[in-house]
Amino acid sequence: MIDPISAIAMATSAFKTVQKMVSMGREIEDTLGQLGKFYGAVSDFNESKRQAENPPLFKRLVAAKSVEQEAMEMFAHGKKIAQHEKELRELLMYTYGASAYQELLNMRRSIKEQREKTVYAQVRRRKNFFWGTVQGISLVLLTAALYKVFMFLYAAIAAVN
């Protein structure tokens, strides 16, 4: 599972590193690794946000956090990421120009599409399989328990007659 807290920490760390590198006069090629980490963490956060909006039934029943608490955390983290993205856009446009920033957006878009097709789809399939299995096993156990209860009651009624 993608942890939103870890994604935020990674994004913040990468953001601060990019700020330092740019302020030291490094070229955009030198910052691409950190930019990749930042946008990867942002992508991970967005995916965890999508997953939190539609949790499996079992998770909804046994969730540790309240809906309000989780919503407030996601909201706060989303605002922090939006602020970082704004500052990063301004920094890159000021330092390298609008064309470099547009090139970065195009690269980000293509990487995001590729990641969506591979990584996140696989994570979703794995989670759906896991929760489907948990729900299936729970249904089988509940059915077996109900069968035992009915058989016990049937035997008790038959013994009385």
Side-chain angles (χ1 to χ4, degrees), residues 23-46:
S23 69
M24 292 176 9
R26 302 288 289 269
E27 292 296 320
I28 193 164
E29 293 83 16
D30 298 335
T31 64
L32 286 179
Q34 290 302 315
L35 287 170
K37 286 182 183 179
F38 173 79
Y39 286 120
V42 169
S43 183
D44 288 346
F45 172 76
N46 290 334

Side-chain angles (χ1 to χ4, degrees), residues 93-121:
M93 287 183 71
Y94 176 74
T95 307
Y96 304 114
S99 63
Y101 182 72
Q102 189 59 44
E103 184 180 340
L104 176 66
L105 284 180
N106 294 336
M107 287 177 15
R108 180 181 177 200
R109 195 171 296 120
S110 68
I111 291 169
K112 180 181 177 183
E113 289 170 2
Q114 182 64 28
R115 193 173 216 176
E116 179 66 32
K117 289 178 185 174
T118 57
V119 176
Y120 297 140

